[in-house]
Amino acid sequence: MSNEPEEPRRKMVKPPTGGNLSGRAKGHTAVKTAKQRTQSSAKWLERQLNDPFVQRAKAEGWRSRAAFKLEEIDDRFHILKRGVRVIDLGCAPGGWVQMAKSRGAAHVVGVDLLPVDPIPGAEMIEADFTDPAIGPRLMEMMGGKPDVVLSDLAHNTVGHRQTDHLKIMGLLELAGDFACDNLKPGGTFIAKAFQGGETEHLLLKLKLAFNDVKHFKPKSSRADSSEIYIVAQGFKG
Ligand SMILES: C[S@@+](CC[C@H](N)C(=O)[O-])C[C@H]1O[C@@H](n2cnc3c(N)ncnc32)[C@H](O)[C@@H]1O
């Protein structure tokens, strides 16, 4: 398994337009006053403002810095070929949807707990992916088996290590099951996971279901984050 990131192929691509830059529900984002702000949130804000990926996303019109993670994954693994059909789990504010479209995806279907402003050529619903009715609904919207299932699902952490871990693993397992139940043979599953997470069970399942399963840490994924991506290619069907 290799997680050595390569220098990304820099393409002057323009993200599909539609909606505001944040892609979240339109309106005002409240920022606490300096007095109210805790030291850690002030640090977070400082890091956001000085983050080159945040600056690039803003300058180029990507809705999230997360878009560059998918860009790096695709530069390395060449997944988003022209005409592919993609399902994106946890798609708000829409950075991955934009990236998939800009790289030639024919159709993207997405789901998130949060509303996402429209993106041409994509269809996104506001729903909880853990609701058993949502998987079939996404498949109905796709109108056939997808070539790629993406999952950047991440819940709001509660700060309790074990609870957070269980939640993360629950979402990841569900996404993996969804991919294995629905992908087209030869298809690809990409999912956010966490280093140190007990992913052995899922990895075992993926290794049986796919020809090639790798881990990848994009440069745009913060070094101090335990986040890592699973890239499973060649779904056996
Ligand atoms: C890291 S963000 C995704 C960023 C996205 N890939 C992008 O490029 O803009 C993770 C998303 O997962 C969503 N999420 C978490 N739990 C979910 C659930 N049960 N159902 C649907 N979406 C969920 C969150 O609302 C959040 O927007």
Side-chain angles (χ1 to χ4, degrees), residues 76-172:
R76 174 67 164 262
F77 297 97
H78 312 292
I79 292 150
L80 299 170
K81 301 197 173 81
R82 189 148 296 280
V84 290
R85 289 143 51 86
V86 179
I87 294 188
D88 185 4
L89 310 173
C91 63
W96 280 27
V97 177
Q98 287 179 301
M99 187 56 73
K101 287 299 304 174
S102 82
R103 296 227 156 176
H107 191 44
V108 183
V109 163
V111 60
D112 203 288
L113 292 171
L114 301 170
V116 187
D117 277 344
I119 293 173
E123 219 181 325
M124 291 158 292
I125 52 166
E126 185 183 338
D128 183 348
F129 176 63
T130 64
D131 175 342
I134 296 308
R137 185 153 164 223
L138 295 173
M139 289 304 294
E140 205 180 298
M141 287 161 66
M142 182 96 276
K145 288 178 177 292
D147 302 282
V148 181
V149 171
L150 304 174
S151 168
D152 202 16
L153 285 164
H155 70 289
N156 285 332
T157 52
V158 294
H160 183 262
R161 214 169 157 267
Q162 276 160 322
T163 310
D164 281 332
H165 181 73
L166 284 174
K167 284 193 166 193
I168 288 164
M169 288 313 300
L171 288 173
L172 183 56

Side-chain angles (χ1 to χ4, degrees), residues 160-232:
H160 183 262
R161 214 169 157 267
Q162 276 160 322
T163 310
D164 281 332
H165 181 73
L166 284 174
K167 284 193 166 193
I168 288 164
M169 288 313 300
L171 288 173
L172 183 56
E173 293 262 353
L174 267 185
D177 286 345
F178 176 79
C180 291
D181 288 344
N182 295 300
L183 267 175
K184 204 185 262 180
T188 301
F189 173 54
I190 298 172
K192 189 208 288 287
F194 292 89
Q195 282 159 327
E198 284 159 29
T199 47
E200 287 82 10
H201 176 67
L202 176 71
L203 282 176
L204 211 70
K205 203 154 69 177
L206 294 179
K207 280 178 182 166
L208 288 173
F210 291 82
N211 289 322
D212 194 20
V213 180
K214 288 195 166 68
H215 277 146
F216 183 68
K217 174 86 175 169
K219 284 180 187 166
S220 47
S221 173
R222 292 189 165 111
D224 61 356
S225 158
S226 60
E227 166 188 89
I228 191 155
Y229 286 86
I230 296 173
V231 181

Side-chain angles (χ1 to χ4, degrees), residues 32-45:
K32 289 176 181 173
T33 63
K35 260 190 182 174
Q36 291 169 310
R37 222 178 280 139
T38 62
Q39 217 179 358
S40 71
S41 66
K43 259 191 184 162
W44 178 87
L45 189 60

